[in-house]
Amino acid sequence: MGLEACLFDLDGVLVDTAKYHYLAWKQLANSLGFDFSEEENEQLKGISRVESLRKILAWGGVDFPQERQDELAALKNGWYVEMISEMTANEVLPGSIKLLEELKNNHIKIGLGSASKNAKLILDNTGLTPYFDALVDGNIVNKSKPDPAVFLKGAELLNVDPKSCVVFEDASAGVEAALRAEMKAIGIGAEKDLGKAHLVVSDLTHIDLKTIQNLF
């Protein structure tokens, strides 16, 4: 079976919103009287807002009732949305547009598979929306990666066999989700973090259609 569709994670693959998540979570932690490191922040990649908050509260050695946790998650999201509302096309990561255009020109379907509930806002602000045939985000699927639900839903909306899909991911949980969905996985980042992927590159400038097709 050959390539029919590409599914992209958003944060850290097409755009760099990770820094805004970090700044907003840091602001929240500081408001509660503690801090966390950039190394710890790496553990928040690819997981939901609720799970991220649980980890951060554990690092700070604090616990709150569910109602208060919901308030804190909403507070963080408000700060984050303010930050990403200022995003422009200049924040699209290198190689993204070139690859999306090559896929489009060769009639390869393109989908988004992101845990973010703000994915549509980010795609609109950075001008990426027109490239996508299907968007699956945290508003559609509530199971976090490494559960494969987000990618399987993407394949369903694109009307393709999961085995004909390639996933682009910067988080180990996302790579795991792709493998569980029986899809090919291309890791964007460091080999040490994404070693289970079929191929690992530092960014999308190192990927073209031929390289993707060679995975099949």
Side-chain angles (χ1 to χ4, degrees):
M1 183 173 287
L3 172 71
E4 287 189 73
C6 289
L7 294 165
F8 291 84
D9 178 44
L10 183 59
D11 301 352
V13 175
L14 295 170
V15 294
D16 184 14
T17 47
K19 62 186 176 189
Y20 299 119
H21 280 297
Y22 178 53
L23 289 170
W25 281 128
K26 194 176 171 64
Q27 191 171 338
L28 185 75
N30 293 167
S31 75
L32 297 171
F34 64 93
D35 206 349
F36 63 93
S37 68
E38 289 200 44
E39 287 71 35
E40 286 171 321
N41 186 61
E42 286 295 305
Q43 296 178 41
L44 306 182
K45 273 188 178 178
I47 65 172
S48 70
R49 192 184 307 158
V50 174
E51 287 182 58
S52 295
L53 178 63
R54 284 197 196 115
K55 277 186 180 289
I56 289 166
L57 294 179
W59 295 334
V62 293
D63 194 16
F64 294 105
Q66 190 55 52
E67 194 178 335
R68 177 64 175 143
Q69 288 189 34
D70 293 344
E71 287 172 7
L72 292 172
L75 184 61
K76 177 267 173 180
N77 190 55
W79 290 332
Y80 173 69
V81 169
E82 277 177 31
M83 293 174 193
I84 61 171
S85 295
E86 305 297 317
M87 287 180 78
T88 67
N90 293 333
E91 292 183 78
V92 175
L93 290 170
S96 300
I97 300 288
K98 186 166 183 256
L99 178 59
L100 291 169
E101 287 185 346
E102 186 180 13
L103 295 173
K104 206 83 177 155
N105 292 339
N106 286 277
H107 311 292
I108 304 297
K109 294 178 179 178
I110 302 171
L112 186 84
S114 170
S116 171
K117 291 189 173 181
N118 301 298
K120 184 77 171 72
L121 173 64
I122 295 166
L123 290 177
D124 286 346
N125 284 359
T126 54
L128 291 175
T129 305
Y131 291 104
F132 287 87
D133 302 301
L135 301 180
V136 182
D137 62 15
N139 298 301
I140 294 173
V141 170
N142 57 14
K143 289 181 178 171
S144 283
K145 302 165 189 175
D147 190 290
V150 69
F151 295 134
L152 290 172
K153 185 67 178 175
E156 182 192 323
L157 292 178
L158 294 170
N159 197 27
V160 295
D161 188 313
K163 292 189 175 83
S164 71
C165 297
V166 173
V167 167
F168 293 81
E169 262 289 350
D170 73 323
S172 58
V175 169
E176 183 67 33
L179 299 179
R180 287 191 196 177
E182 295 189 77
M183 299 177 177
K184 306 289 186 198
I186 295 179
I188 309 297
E191 183 82 43
K192 66 178 172 62
D193 303 319
L194 305 166
K196 287 185 180 177
H198 293 88
L199 175 68
V200 179
V201 293
S202 56
D203 60 44
L204 293 178
T205 60
H206 299 283
I207 287 287
D208 58 19
L209 180 55
K210 192 165 187 296
T211 308
I212 302 168
Q213 288 170 328
N214 284 343
L215 295 175
F216 290 87

mmCIF file of all heavy atoms in Angstrom, residues 151-188:
data_model
loop_
_atom_site.group_PDB
_atom_site.id
_atom_site.type_symbol
_atom_site.label_atom_id
_atom_site.label_comp_id
_atom_site.label_asym_id
_atom_site.label_seq_id
_atom_site.Cartn_x
_atom_site.Cartn_y
_atom_site.Cartn_z
ATOM 1 N N PHE A 151 -5.395 10.272 15.351
ATOM 2 C CA PHE A 151 -4.929 9.941 13.997
ATOM 3 C C PHE A 151 -5.910 9.030 13.267
ATOM 4 O O PHE A 151 -6.119 9.169 12.058
ATOM 5 C CB PHE A 151 -3.533 9.315 14.059
ATOM 6 C CG PHE A 151 -2.481 10.259 14.566
ATOM 7 C CD1 PHE A 151 -1.563 9.854 15.522
ATOM 8 C CD2 PHE A 151 -2.408 11.565 14.097
ATOM 9 C CE1 PHE A 151 -0.593 10.725 15.996
ATOM 10 C CE2 PHE A 151 -1.458 12.448 14.563
ATOM 11 C CZ PHE A 151 -0.539 12.029 15.523
ATOM 12 N N LEU A 152 -6.538 8.116 13.987
ATOM 13 C CA LEU A 152 -7.536 7.241 13.360
ATOM 14 C C LEU A 152 -8.739 8.057 12.881
ATOM 15 O O LEU A 152 -9.296 7.801 11.812
ATOM 16 C CB LEU A 152 -7.975 6.149 14.344
ATOM 17 C CG LEU A 152 -6.902 5.095 14.655
ATOM 18 C CD1 LEU A 152 -7.378 4.174 15.778
ATOM 19 C CD2 LEU A 152 -6.546 4.283 13.416
ATOM 20 N N LYS A 153 -9.110 9.060 13.670
ATOM 21 C CA LYS A 153 -10.208 9.957 13.266
ATOM 22 C C LYS A 153 -9.807 10.735 12.017
ATOM 23 O O LYS A 153 -10.615 10.940 11.103
ATOM 24 C CB LYS A 153 -10.562 10.911 14.411
ATOM 25 C CG LYS A 153 -11.779 11.794 14.133
ATOM 26 C CD LYS A 153 -13.045 10.965 14.047
ATOM 27 C CE LYS A 153 -14.279 11.822 13.826
ATOM 28 N NZ LYS A 153 -15.493 10.998 13.625
ATOM 29 N N GLY A 154 -8.549 11.149 11.955
ATOM 30 C CA GLY A 154 -8.045 11.864 10.784
ATOM 31 C C GLY A 154 -8.143 11.013 9.524
ATOM 32 O O GLY A 154 -8.602 11.475 8.471
ATOM 33 N N ALA A 155 -7.727 9.753 9.631
ATOM 34 C CA ALA A 155 -7.802 8.830 8.487
ATOM 35 C C ALA A 155 -9.260 8.635 8.065
ATOM 36 O O ALA A 155 -9.574 8.597 6.862
ATOM 37 C CB ALA A 155 -7.166 7.490 8.852
ATOM 38 N N GLU A 156 -10.136 8.536 9.062
ATOM 39 C CA GLU A 156 -11.571 8.357 8.771
ATOM 40 C C GLU A 156 -12.131 9.563 8.012
ATOM 41 O O GLU A 156 -12.821 9.414 7.002
ATOM 42 C CB GLU A 156 -12.323 8.171 10.095
ATOM 43 C CG GLU A 156 -13.813 7.936 9.943
ATOM 44 C CD GLU A 156 -14.553 8.055 11.274
ATOM 45 O OE1 GLU A 156 -14.009 7.631 12.318
ATOM 46 O OE2 GLU A 156 -15.683 8.582 11.264
ATOM 47 N N LEU A 157 -11.809 10.769 8.484
ATOM 48 C CA LEU A 157 -12.311 11.986 7.827
ATOM 49 C C LEU A 157 -11.734 12.163 6.423
ATOM 50 O O LEU A 157 -12.384 12.710 5.534
ATOM 51 C CB LEU A 157 -11.988 13.220 8.681
ATOM 52 C CG LEU A 157 -12.717 13.337 10.019
ATOM 53 C CD1 LEU A 157 -12.259 14.567 10.783
ATOM 54 C CD2 LEU A 157 -14.235 13.375 9.817
ATOM 55 N N LEU A 158 -10.500 11.695 6.231
ATOM 56 C CA LEU A 158 -9.863 11.782 4.911
ATOM 57 C C LEU A 158 -10.272 10.618 4.003
ATOM 58 O O LEU A 158 -9.921 10.598 2.824
ATOM 59 C CB LEU A 158 -8.336 11.804 5.066
ATOM 60 C CG LEU A 158 -7.751 13.044 5.753
ATOM 61 C CD1 LEU A 158 -6.272 12.834 6.062
ATOM 62 C CD2 LEU A 158 -7.935 14.295 4.888
ATOM 63 N N ASN A 159 -10.989 9.653 4.595
ATOM 64 C CA ASN A 159 -11.455 8.481 3.859
ATOM 65 C C ASN A 159 -10.296 7.673 3.271
ATOM 66 O O ASN A 159 -10.298 7.314 2.083
ATOM 67 C CB ASN A 159 -12.448 8.905 2.761
ATOM 68 C CG ASN A 159 -13.261 7.733 2.240
ATOM 69 O OD1 ASN A 159 -13.477 6.752 2.960
ATOM 70 N ND2 ASN A 159 -13.678 7.805 0.992
ATOM 71 N N VAL A 160 -9.282 7.411 4.101
ATOM 72 C CA VAL A 160 -8.124 6.612 3.682
ATOM 73 C C VAL A 160 -7.849 5.514 4.714
ATOM 74 O O VAL A 160 -8.248 5.615 5.869
ATOM 75 C CB VAL A 160 -6.849 7.479 3.511
ATOM 76 C CG1 VAL A 160 -7.019 8.488 2.378
ATOM 77 C CG2 VAL A 160 -6.487 8.201 4.811
ATOM 78 N N ASP A 161 -7.162 4.485 4.280
ATOM 79 C CA ASP A 161 -6.742 3.405 5.165
ATOM 80 C C ASP A 161 -5.627 3.927 6.072
ATOM 81 O O ASP A 161 -4.681 4.553 5.572
ATOM 82 C CB ASP A 161 -6.222 2.240 4.311
ATOM 83 C CG ASP A 161 -5.940 0.989 5.137
ATOM 84 O OD1 ASP A 161 -5.295 1.114 6.204
ATOM 85 O OD2 ASP A 161 -6.341 -0.101 4.717
ATOM 86 N N PRO A 162 -5.701 3.697 7.390
ATOM 87 C CA PRO A 162 -4.618 4.155 8.279
ATOM 88 C C PRO A 162 -3.226 3.708 7.813
ATOM 89 O O PRO A 162 -2.251 4.455 7.968
ATOM 90 C CB PRO A 162 -4.975 3.505 9.618
ATOM 91 C CG PRO A 162 -6.460 3.373 9.580
ATOM 92 C CD PRO A 162 -6.799 3.066 8.148
ATOM 93 N N LYS A 163 -3.144 2.525 7.217
ATOM 94 C CA LYS A 163 -1.842 2.000 6.779
ATOM 95 C C LYS A 163 -1.240 2.803 5.625
ATOM 96 O O LYS A 163 -0.064 2.644 5.304
ATOM 97 C CB LYS A 163 -1.967 0.528 6.379
ATOM 98 C CG LYS A 163 -2.251 -0.419 7.550
ATOM 99 C CD LYS A 163 -2.133 -1.877 7.097
ATOM 100 C CE LYS A 163 -2.289 -2.853 8.254
ATOM 101 N NZ LYS A 163 -3.689 -3.137 8.573
ATOM 102 N N SER A 164 -2.050 3.676 5.008
ATOM 103 C CA SER A 164 -1.541 4.500 3.900
ATOM 104 C C SER A 164 -1.165 5.905 4.368
ATOM 105 O O SER A 164 -0.888 6.782 3.564
ATOM 106 C CB SER A 164 -2.587 4.589 2.788
ATOM 107 O OG SER A 164 -3.677 5.403 3.200
ATOM 108 N N CYS A 165 -1.159 6.106 5.695
ATOM 109 C CA CYS A 165 -0.891 7.438 6.266
ATOM 110 C C CYS A 165 0.512 7.549 6.864
ATOM 111 O O CYS A 165 1.035 6.583 7.418
ATOM 112 C CB CYS A 165 -1.887 7.751 7.373
ATOM 113 S SG CYS A 165 -3.599 7.840 6.828
ATOM 114 N N VAL A 166 1.064 8.746 6.782
ATOM 115 C CA VAL A 166 2.308 9.083 7.472
ATOM 116 C C VAL A 166 2.017 10.208 8.448
ATOM 117 O O VAL A 166 1.350 11.189 8.104
ATOM 118 C CB VAL A 166 3.405 9.525 6.478
ATOM 119 C CG1 VAL A 166 4.629 10.045 7.223
ATOM 120 C CG2 VAL A 166 3.811 8.366 5.587
ATOM 121 N N VAL A 167 2.505 10.052 9.668
ATOM 122 C CA VAL A 167 2.300 11.044 10.725
ATOM 123 C C VAL A 167 3.607 11.793 10.993
ATOM 124 O O VAL A 167 4.669 11.184 11.046
ATOM 125 C CB VAL A 167 1.832 10.346 12.022
ATOM 126 C CG1 VAL A 167 1.910 11.281 13.210
ATOM 127 C CG2 VAL A 167 0.410 9.815 11.860
ATOM 128 N N PHE A 168 3.500 13.095 11.165
ATOM 129 C CA PHE A 168 4.649 13.936 11.531
ATOM 130 C C PHE A 168 4.466 14.388 12.971
ATOM 131 O O PHE A 168 3.479 15.050 13.291
ATOM 132 C CB PHE A 168 4.730 15.162 10.609
ATOM 133 C CG PHE A 168 5.052 14.814 9.186
ATOM 134 C CD1 PHE A 168 4.063 14.364 8.325
ATOM 135 C CD2 PHE A 168 6.348 14.917 8.709
ATOM 136 C CE1 PHE A 168 4.351 14.022 7.009
ATOM 137 C CE2 PHE A 168 6.650 14.582 7.397
ATOM 138 C CZ PHE A 168 5.647 14.134 6.542
ATOM 139 N N GLU A 169 5.416 14.041 13.831
ATOM 140 C CA GLU A 169 5.274 14.265 15.269
ATOM 141 C C GLU A 169 6.579 14.718 15.910
ATOM 142 O O GLU A 169 7.651 14.288 15.520
ATOM 143 C CB GLU A 169 4.856 12.954 15.946
ATOM 144 C CG GLU A 169 3.376 12.840 16.223
ATOM 145 C CD GLU A 169 2.887 13.770 17.331
ATOM 146 O OE1 GLU A 169 3.708 14.380 18.031
ATOM 147 O OE2 GLU A 169 1.660 13.863 17.490
ATOM 148 N N ASP A 170 6.487 15.576 16.937
ATOM 149 C CA ASP A 170 7.694 15.984 17.666
ATOM 150 C C ASP A 170 7.725 15.419 19.080
ATOM 151 O O ASP A 170 8.638 15.703 19.842
ATOM 152 C CB ASP A 170 7.804 17.515 17.729
ATOM 153 C CG ASP A 170 6.807 18.130 18.700
ATOM 154 O OD1 ASP A 170 5.655 17.625 18.782
ATOM 155 O OD2 ASP A 170 7.164 19.103 19.385
ATOM 156 N N ALA A 171 6.702 14.616 19.439
ATOM 157 C CA ALA A 171 6.628 14.064 20.799
ATOM 158 C C ALA A 171 6.605 12.544 20.750
ATOM 159 O O ALA A 171 5.990 11.952 19.862
ATOM 160 C CB ALA A 171 5.368 14.576 21.496
ATOM 161 N N SER A 172 7.263 11.919 21.726
ATOM 162 C CA SER A 172 7.313 10.453 21.750
ATOM 163 C C SER A 172 5.907 9.863 21.899
ATOM 164 O O SER A 172 5.591 8.823 21.325
ATOM 165 C CB SER A 172 8.226 9.957 22.877
ATOM 166 O OG SER A 172 7.777 10.433 24.129
ATOM 167 N N ALA A 173 5.033 10.545 22.654
ATOM 168 C CA ALA A 173 3.650 10.071 22.807
ATOM 169 C C ALA A 173 2.925 10.080 21.466
ATOM 170 O O ALA A 173 2.109 9.204 21.174
ATOM 171 C CB ALA A 173 2.895 10.938 23.811
ATOM 172 N N GLY A 174 3.238 11.063 20.631
ATOM 173 C CA GLY A 174 2.625 11.157 19.303
ATOM 174 C C GLY A 174 3.137 10.087 18.359
ATOM 175 O O GLY A 174 2.369 9.519 17.577
ATOM 176 N N VAL A 175 4.432 9.811 18.436
ATOM 177 C CA VAL A 175 5.005 8.733 17.624
ATOM 178 C C VAL A 175 4.368 7.406 18.016
ATOM 179 O O VAL A 175 3.968 6.604 17.163
ATOM 180 C CB VAL A 175 6.546 8.672 17.794
ATOM 181 C CG1 VAL A 175 7.122 7.395 17.178
ATOM 182 C CG2 VAL A 175 7.202 9.900 17.162
ATOM 183 N N GLU A 176 4.227 7.187 19.321
ATOM 184 C CA GLU A 176 3.590 5.968 19.824
ATOM 185 C C GLU A 176 2.152 5.852 19.323
ATOM 186 O O GLU A 176 1.698 4.772 18.912
ATOM 187 C CB GLU A 176 3.609 5.987 21.362
ATOM 188 C CG GLU A 176 3.057 4.755 22.037
ATOM 189 C CD GLU A 176 3.895 3.496 21.826
ATOM 190 O OE1 GLU A 176 5.139 3.599 21.723
ATOM 191 O OE2 GLU A 176 3.286 2.418 21.746
ATOM 192 N N ALA A 177 1.427 6.967 19.313
ATOM 193 C CA ALA A 177 0.044 6.978 18.818
ATOM 194 C C ALA A 177 -0.012 6.591 17.346
ATOM 195 O O ALA A 177 -0.886 5.826 16.921
ATOM 196 C CB ALA A 177 -0.575 8.362 19.027
ATOM 197 N N ALA A 178 0.922 7.116 16.563
ATOM 198 C CA ALA A 178 0.976 6.792 15.130
ATOM 199 C C ALA A 178 1.221 5.305 14.917
ATOM 200 O O ALA A 178 0.562 4.661 14.090
ATOM 201 C CB ALA A 178 2.074 7.613 14.454
ATOM 202 N N LEU A 179 2.148 4.745 15.683
ATOM 203 C CA LEU A 179 2.471 3.318 15.551
ATOM 204 C C LEU A 179 1.283 2.451 15.959
ATOM 205 O O LEU A 179 0.991 1.440 15.323
ATOM 206 C CB LEU A 179 3.712 2.970 16.382
ATOM 207 C CG LEU A 179 5.007 3.710 15.995
ATOM 208 C CD1 LEU A 179 6.149 3.297 16.905
ATOM 209 C CD2 LEU A 179 5.380 3.457 14.539
ATOM 210 N N ARG A 180 0.584 2.868 17.004
ATOM 211 C CA ARG A 180 -0.603 2.114 17.445
ATOM 212 C C ARG A 180 -1.709 2.160 16.393
ATOM 213 O O ARG A 180 -2.535 1.259 16.296
ATOM 214 C CB ARG A 180 -1.133 2.668 18.766
ATOM 215 C CG ARG A 180 -0.274 2.333 19.965
ATOM 216 C CD ARG A 180 -1.019 2.686 21.248
ATOM 217 N NE ARG A 180 -0.125 2.739 22.388
ATOM 218 C CZ ARG A 180 -0.504 3.079 23.608
ATOM 219 N NH1 ARG A 180 -1.763 3.418 23.834
ATOM 220 N NH2 ARG A 180 0.353 3.106 24.621
ATOM 221 N N ALA A 181 -1.730 3.241 15.607
ATOM 222 C CA ALA A 181 -2.723 3.383 14.530
ATOM 223 C C ALA A 181 -2.273 2.649 13.260
ATOM 224 O O ALA A 181 -2.963 2.705 12.243
ATOM 225 C CB ALA A 181 -2.944 4.857 14.226
ATOM 226 N N GLU A 182 -1.108 1.981 13.338
ATOM 227 C CA GLU A 182 -0.502 1.270 12.203
ATOM 228 C C GLU A 182 -0.141 2.211 11.055
ATOM 229 O O GLU A 182 -0.259 1.868 9.881
ATOM 230 C CB GLU A 182 -1.425 0.152 11.713
ATOM 231 C CG GLU A 182 -1.628 -0.951 12.753
ATOM 232 C CD GLU A 182 -2.370 -2.142 12.175
ATOM 233 O OE1 GLU A 182 -1.736 -2.923 11.440
ATOM 234 O OE2 GLU A 182 -3.566 -2.261 12.455
ATOM 235 N N MET A 183 0.280 3.416 11.424
ATOM 236 C CA MET A 183 0.724 4.403 10.449
ATOM 237 C C MET A 183 2.246 4.520 10.489
ATOM 238 O O MET A 183 2.872 4.140 11.474
ATOM 239 C CB MET A 183 0.093 5.771 10.766
ATOM 240 C CG MET A 183 -1.419 5.770 10.713
ATOM 241 S SD MET A 183 -2.131 7.382 11.170
ATOM 242 C CE MET A 183 -3.881 7.056 10.931
ATOM 243 N N LYS A 184 2.824 5.064 9.439
ATOM 244 C CA LYS A 184 4.249 5.379 9.448
ATOM 245 C C LYS A 184 4.437 6.654 10.273
ATOM 246 O O LYS A 184 3.571 7.537 10.270
ATOM 247 C CB LYS A 184 4.780 5.624 8.029
ATOM 248 C CG LYS A 184 4.506 4.496 7.043
ATOM 249 C CD LYS A 184 5.340 3.286 7.323
ATOM 250 C CE LYS A 184 5.154 2.242 6.227
ATOM 251 N NZ LYS A 184 5.601 0.920 6.636
ATOM 252 N N ALA A 185 5.569 6.749 10.965
ATOM 253 C CA ALA A 185 5.821 7.928 11.803
ATOM 254 C C ALA A 185 7.147 8.584 11.424
ATOM 255 O O ALA A 185 8.174 7.913 11.328
ATOM 256 C CB ALA A 185 5.846 7.536 13.274
ATOM 257 N N ILE A 186 7.096 9.890 11.210
ATOM 258 C CA ILE A 186 8.312 10.680 11.005
ATOM 259 C C ILE A 186 8.454 11.604 12.209
ATOM 260 O O ILE A 186 7.561 12.415 12.500
ATOM 261 C CB ILE A 186 8.263 11.495 9.693
ATOM 262 C CG1 ILE A 186 8.231 10.535 8.489
ATOM 263 C CG2 ILE A 186 9.460 12.442 9.598
ATOM 264 C CD1 ILE A 186 8.158 11.225 7.136
ATOM 265 N N GLY A 187 9.550 11.433 12.941
ATOM 266 C CA GLY A 187 9.799 12.254 14.124
ATOM 267 C C GLY A 187 10.513 13.541 13.747
ATOM 268 O O GLY A 187 11.450 13.525 12.958
ATOM 269 N N ILE A 188 10.051 14.647 14.311
ATOM 270 C CA ILE A 188 10.681 15.949 14.079
ATOM 271 C C ILE A 188 11.366 16.353 15.381
ATOM 272 O O ILE A 188 10.705 16.692 16.364
ATOM 273 C CB ILE A 188 9.637 17.027 13.676
ATOM 274 C CG1 ILE A 188 8.761 16.534 12.520
ATOM 275 C CG2 ILE A 188 10.328 18.344 13.340
ATOM 276 C CD1 ILE A 188 9.494 16.258 11.232
#
